Amino acid sequence: WLVLAIAMVRFYMEKGTHRGLYKSIQKTLKFFQTFALLEIVHCLIGIVPTSVLVTGVQVSSRIFMVWLITHSIKPIQNEESVVLFLVSWTVTEITRYSFYTFSLLDHLPYFIKWARYNFFIILYPVGVAGELLTIYAALPYVKKTGMFSIRLPNKYNVSFDYYYFLLITMASYIPLFPQLYFHMLRQRRKVLHGEVIVEKDD
Amino acid sequence: MKHYEVEILDAKTREKLCFLDKVEPQATIAEIKNLFTKTQGKSLKDEDVLQKLPVGTTATLYFRDLGAQISWVTVFLTEYAGPLFIYLLFYFRVPFIYGHKYDFTSSRHTVVHLACTCHSLHYVKRLLETLFVHRFSHGTMPLRNIFKNCTYYWGFAAWMAYYINHPLYTPPTYGAQQVKLALAIFVICQLGNFSIHMALRDLRPAGSKTRKIPYPTKNPFTWLFLLVSCPNYTYEVGSWIGFAIMTQCLPVALFSLVGFTQMTIWAKGKHRSYLKEFRDYPPLRMPIIPFLL
């Protein structure tokens, strides 16, 4: 992700524009983001204590953005919103992985812990905004081309409309984002301020 | 006569909820439960007798609030009545589902009418079984289950019914042969499923909650008990596979798959509790699929 960050900064410094940025870093992005699937495996086999479901949702949404939106819908690759979420993801991941690495080495500098539990306050909404704006920009192209859709009639009597699927996905951010955001806020209070949060027991 | 002192505490806060002085040794838990009691860990049953419990002369019982409850019968009736009604809405092509030129029209494919009959009879069977056949171990389940279960049943019913009754529906590739074979599978499995429900009912006298090992009876459909702990689930999966082949509709196949996954989890649980409770449980039996699963 550091590689990505440096590549993006260099590109902007050389070209002075964000156009073409995606094209230049796409291979690196796809490589590293797809590898994040391993994180789900780590939860499945138990070497990481996080829930498979939470990790699954987070990684899936990233894979979805990278492969099913930005990779597949070429016209939106130069949108500003793409840079928005790319920057947000890059900073988040660098912080997160540094946090894990130093924790494993038992040598966690406080500022990394501080960064991990504070940066998200800005980065998370920024990233979500970038993602939503990108999907929104993609909608007209999806509708026009009917991509990824199955129409009736067909042998298996099923249909799928990618356009409506995207609309529903965008709507799902409304309940999901606050839940994840408040979860991080609660974690932050626990870790940084040692507050004991009483969880509702079902 | 020696009486017991029974102290009832809240399971979470350890607060004293109730102190019973002079409880008869012969008092059943059902009687004490009138003041709401349950132990931590495994919960006591209404039929337990105080004297037989592993306690000294002072018994401490813990109360755990299970939250809002709803009866199993209510949940079953609601979750099964939905699909019955919803499918028919699509079958009769009620307005605002398909284009207006199709309102109240009828499909020209025989298989569509057959599918409606099968689907409807299936849920009528389930409703009747709920009212007259099943003997439930538990009276109630958590209230939020009704929302979860109804969403699942009603949602899938609508999704399947939409495609099967669609004006652009495509009948099965192999025509009447495929439909006949699928219908045979469906009917056999429905009869099988019903036979198992009846056999299980006969294991347990009315109003009781006894548990016994089920065995094959004279009815050939019950011979599946030789190979499987929960043949009712086996037959149920079979029915839906039959329906999927009959309609050649992918949403039906997906519904069968999800149902199969859930029933496998239940079958494995049931199988495990049979093994735990009965030393002499037949070793050849698998939970849901003979020899495999």
Side-chain angles (χ1 to χ4, degrees):
Chain A
W1 283 93
L2 249 171
V3 172
L4 253 168
I6 295 175
M8 294 201 292
V9 172
R10 276 182 59 192
F11 181 92
Y12 195 78
M13 290 192 356
E14 278 169 34
K15 299 282 171 75
T17 172
H18 66 275
R19 298 182 135 267
L21 171 73
Y22 175 78
K23 208 154 172 205
S24 70
I25 52 97
Q26 63 172 321
K27 282 214 175 70
T28 317
L29 172 70
K30 287 173 194 167
F31 180 77
F32 285 114
Q33 187 59 85
T34 310
F35 245 97
L37 283 168
L38 262 180
E39 295 189 34
I40 307 181
V41 177
H42 294 160
C43 293
L44 262 170
I45 62 177
I47 61 179
V48 168
T50 323
S51 119
V52 178
L53 188 62
V54 174
T55 316
V57 169
Q58 290 174 328
V59 175
S60 304
S61 82
R62 292 288 186 87
I63 304 278
F64 163 73
M65 274 312 295
V66 170
W67 287 105
L68 297 183
I69 301 285
T70 348
H71 166 78
S72 309
I73 309 173
K74 296 219 176 354
I76 53 99
Q77 284 171 1
N78 285 316
E79 291 282 323
E80 288 84 357
S81 51
V82 173
V83 182
L84 207 57
F85 74 76
L86 278 182
V87 168
S88 161
W89 289 6
T90 309
V91 179
T92 307
E93 297 302 74
I94 293 175
T95 322
R96 195 163 67 93
Y97 288 126
S98 310
F99 176 82
Y100 292 149
T101 314
F102 285 109
S103 302
L104 283 171
L105 298 172
D106 258 332
H107 241 69
L108 182 64
Y110 184 73
F111 87 90
I112 301 240
K113 186 153 92 165
W114 187 91
R116 198 233 160 145
Y117 285 105
N118 279 299
F119 282 2
F120 80 89
I121 299 179
I122 305 288
L123 289 178
Y124 209 4
V126 167
V128 164
E131 292 171 33
L132 283 176
L133 286 168
T134 310
I135 301 176
Y136 184 72
L139 287 177
Y141 297 103
V142 172
K143 190 161 204 178
K144 197 168 62 162
T145 61
M147 62 184 291
F148 290 166
S149 301
I150 309 171
R151 304 259 174 252
L152 284 179
N154 63 73
K155 195 155 68 143
Y156 295 112
N157 293 303
V158 68
S159 67
F160 179 74
D161 192 322
Y162 194 46
Y163 180 77
Y164 286 107
F165 174 75
L166 288 180
L167 288 178
I168 295 173
T169 305
M170 287 175 75
S172 73
Y173 272 77
I174 299 176
L176 290 177
F177 167 71
Q179 283 188 36
L180 291 169
Y181 196 61
F182 287 125
H183 171 77
M184 283 304 290
L185 283 172
R186 272 199 303 269
Q187 293 293 101
R188 175 179 178 270
R189 243 181 277 152
K190 223 179 6 177
V191 172
L192 295 184
H193 299 266
E195 252 184 58
V196 175
I197 313 286
V198 177
E199 291 280 337
K200 183 164 175 266
D201 194 350
D202 266 38
Chain B
M1 177 163 47
K2 202 162 89 145
H3 280 115
Y4 278 85
E5 279 174 2
V6 173
E7 198 179 63
I8 303 167
L9 308 180
D10 181 84
K12 280 214 187 96
T13 65
R14 299 260 198 263
E15 246 181 71
K16 275 206 187 99
L17 292 177
C18 181
F19 187 87
L20 299 171
D21 207 9
K22 289 202 168 42
V23 179
E24 307 264 4
Q26 302 307 318
T28 64
I29 293 304
E31 291 165 38
I32 298 178
K33 221 189 209 177
N34 286 327
L35 304 154
F36 308 104
T37 59
K38 272 217 159 109
T39 61
Q40 250 173 2
K42 208 159 171 292
S43 51
L44 294 173
K45 304 197 189 334
D46 288 354
E47 300 78 30
D48 288 344
V49 174
L50 187 58
Q51 197 169 44
K52 297 209 169 62
L53 297 177
V55 293
T57 54
T58 309
T60 306
L61 301 174
Y62 294 90
F63 162 69
R64 196 194 306 153
D65 190 349
L66 294 175
Q69 297 280 297
I70 185 168
S71 89
W72 271 64
V73 174
T74 309
V75 175
F76 271 36
L77 291 179
T78 322
E79 68 188 15
Y80 296 155
L84 182 61
F85 178 67
I86 289 171
Y87 192 100
L88 291 172
L89 289 177
F90 287 89
Y91 176 73
F92 288 114
R93 295 192 182 151
V94 151
F96 296 102
I97 299 178
Y98 306 111
H100 276 302
K101 67 175 181 183
Y102 296 115
D103 290 349
F104 297 118
T105 55
S106 179
S107 171
R108 57 189 169 85
H109 304 293
T110 336
V111 68
V112 172
H113 305 293
L114 186 60
C116 182
T117 313
C118 289
H119 187 270
S120 307
L121 285 179
H122 175 79
Y123 281 102
V124 167
K125 167 180 161 294
R126 289 217 204 184
L127 287 165
L128 292 175
E129 283 172 340
T130 306
L131 290 168
F132 301 115
V133 176
H134 293 315
R135 298 208 159 118
F136 297 103
S137 300
H138 302 281
T140 68
M141 63 168 88
L143 182 63
R144 65 175 48 156
N145 277 14
I146 194 171
F147 301 109
K148 197 169 46 105
N149 293 10
C150 285
T151 308
Y152 171 74
Y153 277 105
W154 297 12
F156 259 114
W159 197 37
M160 294 192 287
Y162 175 77
Y163 291 110
I164 300 171
N165 298 295
H166 200 282
L168 296 176
Y169 171 76
T170 311
T173 314
Y174 296 106
Q177 256 185 332
Q178 185 173 336
V179 174
K180 278 199 198 109
L181 172 67
L183 181 63
I185 296 174
F186 181 80
V187 171
I188 291 173
C189 288
Q190 288 288 277
L191 290 170
N193 177 266
F194 180 68
S195 307
I196 302 300
H197 286 161
M198 289 304 284
L200 290 171
R201 164 198 172 79
D202 291 336
L203 277 185
R204 171 180 279 181
S208 85
K209 293 181 186 176
T210 52
R211 272 185 319 282
K212 305 213 288 262
I213 303 180
Y215 283 108
T217 68
K218 290 209 183 67
N219 183 339
F221 287 112
T222 64
W223 296 352
L224 200 46
F225 269 123
L226 289 169
L227 299 175
V228 152
S229 290
C230 301
N232 50 319
Y233 293 145
T234 318
Y235 283 122
E236 184 68 18
V237 177
S239 304
W240 285 106
I241 292 177
F243 191 69
I245 297 173
M246 190 194 300
T247 56
Q248 201 167 296
C249 178
L250 193 61
V252 178
L254 287 171
F255 180 64
S256 314
L257 185 64
V258 177
F260 173 63
T261 310
Q262 176 65 85
M263 286 189 273
T264 304
I265 295 172
W266 289 336
K268 282 184 176 252
K270 190 99 199 121
H271 186 77
R272 223 173 293 134
S273 30
Y274 277 147
L275 289 173
K276 235 199 295 196
E277 185 163 356
F278 303 110
R279 297 275 107 173
D280 55 338
Y281 197 73
L284 185 62
R285 290 191 196 182
M286 295 298 277
I288 186 171
I289 308 286
F291 309 118
L292 295 177
L293 196 57

